[in-house]
């Protein structure tokens, strides 16, 4: 029997628009403008943006909780409109909200969720999943007695009961301490290494930079960047270097004026520069030639937060009007 043909894209969104109807004399509001995103199968994809940018609207449309105004959304090649049941089975969503029944134990919550997805009892992996998210010892504890971090992990467990090929994580580590966060990411990385496509939204940009192969940034309902993480980091042509001096000085040497150097404190010289037009070695030589002795050098590399802030600040609010 031939193997099934797997889609190139786990999520394929084309020209997606969403307009929320007006109410109480308020005019209709367009939340999404021609969103087009293709998430490669097996990738770890980041969907980033400020609060209110439209991330949750996209996720809710994918999950069948919000109706799109126009455009197409395919999950594992199933159109969410014409193949609704198959599309919903292809996705597991970990929501921002802690929507757990307080009168169910962790085990009961997973068993119920598996039943809703039609998973036969002999194929359920309740204990395996609880162990993977570090909740096996809390299997028979009511969800109302769990800490916020434990409830967050239980939501991840619920999303995995039907073994979906796509896992959507909407702010999964909000309120989770560092140790539990590392445990959670270890499990998610293992899922990804076994072929599960991960779609992540997070405000912890260092997480996105470390985990994601590709990142899309949306602002005011529009995609403003979509590229590999490495290529995004190359976009911002800006670095900084700080020279820690062996002895304090009172003013910036005149020879360093062309670099627009600053003196944040008497024993430090700070320089922002563009690597495309100026080599750091030239700055180092100029500092040495200025007659000051360098005790140490600290550099600041561009990170995803720099890119994020530059892109979202440069997108005018009126663009979404």
């Amino acid at each position: 029997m031939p193997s099934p043909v797997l889609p190139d894209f786990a999520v394929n969104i084309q020209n997606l628009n969403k307009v929320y109807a007006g109410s109480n004399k308020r005019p209709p509001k367009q939340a999404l403008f021609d969103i087009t995103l293709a998430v490669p199968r097996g990738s770890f994809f980041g969907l980033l943006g400020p609060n209110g940018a439209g991330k949750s609207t996209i996720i809710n449309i994918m999950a069948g909780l919000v109706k799109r105004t126009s455009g197409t959304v395919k999950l594992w090649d199933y159109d969410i409109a014409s193949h609704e049941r198959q599309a919903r089975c292809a996705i597991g969503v970990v929501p921002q909200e802690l929507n757990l029944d307080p009168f169910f134990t962790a085990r009961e919550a997973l068993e119920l969720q598996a039943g809703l997805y039609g998973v036969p009892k002999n194929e359920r992996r309740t204990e395996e999943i609880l162990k993977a998210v570090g909740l096996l010892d809390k299997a028979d504890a009511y969800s109302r007695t769990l800490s916020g971090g434990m409830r967050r992990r239980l939501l991840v467990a619920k999303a995995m009961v039907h073994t979906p090929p796509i896992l959507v994580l909407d702010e999964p580590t909000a309120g989770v301490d560092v140790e539990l966060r590392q445990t959670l990411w270890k499990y998610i990385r293992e899922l990804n290494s076994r072929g599960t496509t991960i779609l992540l939204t997070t405000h912890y940009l260092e997480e996105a930079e470390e985990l994601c192969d590709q990142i899309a940034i949306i602002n005011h309902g529009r995609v403003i960047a979509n590229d590999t993480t490495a290529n995004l980091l190359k976009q911002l042509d800006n670095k900084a270097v700080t020279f820690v001096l062996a002895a304090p000085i009172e003013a910036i040497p005149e020879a360093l004026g062309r670099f627009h150097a600053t003196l944040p404190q008497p024993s430090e010289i700070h320089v922002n520069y563009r690597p495309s037009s100026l080599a750091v070695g030239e700055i180092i030589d100029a500092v040495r030639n200025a007659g000051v002795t360098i005790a140490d050098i600290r550099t600041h590399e561009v990170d995803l937060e720099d890119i994020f802030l530059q892109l979202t600040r440069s997108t005018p609010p009126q663009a979404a009007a």
Side-chain angles (χ1 to χ4, degrees):
M1 184 174 180
S3 300
V5 177
L6 298 177
D8 292 331
F9 299 107
V11 179
N12 196 343
I13 300 173
Q14 298 292 322
N15 304 115
L16 179 62
N17 290 275
K18 174 58 185 177
V19 179
Y20 287 101
S23 60
N24 297 325
K25 298 184 179 180
R26 293 181 180 177
K29 178 175 176 57
Q30 186 159 356
L32 300 178
F33 295 80
D34 289 322
I35 296 292
T36 293
L37 288 173
V39 179
R41 172 173 48 85
S43 67
F44 206 129
F45 194 98
L47 182 61
L48 309 182
N51 288 330
K55 304 184 301 296
S56 292
T57 298
I58 294 173
I59 290 172
N60 287 336
I61 290 173
M62 290 169 57
L65 300 175
V66 170
K67 290 187 177 296
R68 74 199 190 287
T69 301
S70 64
T72 61
V73 178
K74 291 184 178 180
L75 305 177
W76 212 249
D77 242 7
Y78 295 114
D79 190 289
I80 62 170
S82 58
H83 294 84
E84 183 178 2
R85 181 181 294 274
Q86 295 95 325
R88 290 197 182 188
C89 286
I91 189 174
V93 179
V94 181
Q96 288 188 39
E97 300 79 14
L98 295 172
N99 56 353
L100 295 167
D101 191 314
F103 300 103
F104 278 29
T105 66
R107 188 192 308 276
E108 290 168 342
L110 264 61
E111 286 290 317
L112 176 62
Q113 188 80 353
L116 292 174
Y117 275 98
V119 181
K121 286 192 175 183
N122 62 344
E123 294 180 15
R124 295 179 188 177
R125 302 176 299 118
T126 298
E127 292 204 355
E128 174 191 332
I129 296 173
L130 287 173
K131 181 179 180 180
V133 297
L135 288 177
L136 187 56
D137 61 335
K138 300 290 184 180
D140 298 309
Y142 290 109
S143 61
R144 65 177 180 270
T145 67
L146 302 178
S147 67
M150 291 178 180
R151 293 180 192 182
R152 184 73 59 185
R153 284 183 285 157
L154 183 54
L155 287 177
V156 175
K158 283 182 63 179
M160 292 305 302
V161 296
H162 59 298
T163 319
I166 306 165
L167 181 63
V168 178
L169 304 169
D170 194 3
E171 300 289 345
T173 55
V176 178
D177 64 43
V178 175
E179 183 179 357
L180 298 183
R181 187 180 300 170
Q182 290 176 345
T183 301
L184 181 59
W185 285 132
K186 180 181 178 182
Y187 177 56
I188 298 301
R189 277 192 174 110
E190 289 175 357
L191 287 174
N192 183 238
S193 68
R194 297 201 295 264
T196 302
T197 302
I198 308 296
L199 178 61
L200 168 70
T201 78
T202 180
H203 282 103
Y204 297 106
L205 298 185
E206 68 279 4
E207 285 186 348
E209 183 174 345
E210 179 183 353
L211 294 165
C212 297
D213 315 313
Q214 186 171 337
I215 290 173
I217 299 176
I218 68 172
N219 198 22
H220 302 297
R222 287 181 164 88
V223 176
I224 59 174
N226 184 9
D227 209 334
T228 64
T229 306
N231 284 344
L232 278 176
L233 293 174
K234 293 176 184 176
Q235 284 189 21
L236 193 59
D237 186 24
N238 185 22
K239 288 188 178 182
V241 58
T242 298
F243 299 95
V244 180
L245 308 181
I249 59 176
E250 295 182 358
I252 295 290
E254 187 176 340
L256 301 181
R258 67 187 180 97
F259 299 115
H260 305 289
T262 60
L263 195 68
Q265 49 186 319
S267 60
E268 291 186 359
I269 294 175
H270 185 83
V271 178
N272 284 311
Y273 69 100
R274 294 186 178 276
S276 62
S277 57
L278 183 63
V280 67
E282 186 179 344
I283 304 173
I284 294 173
D285 290 342
V287 173
R288 286 173 174 162
N289 294 336
V292 295
T293 302
I294 301 172
D296 194 12
I297 299 176
R298 298 196 302 266
T299 59
H300 170 69
E301 298 290 332
V302 174
D303 60 20
L304 188 59
E305 184 173 350
D306 297 318
I307 300 290
F308 180 84
L309 291 174
Q310 185 192 62
L311 290 172
T312 54
R313 284 172 177 170
S314 63
T315 305
Q318 60 265 30

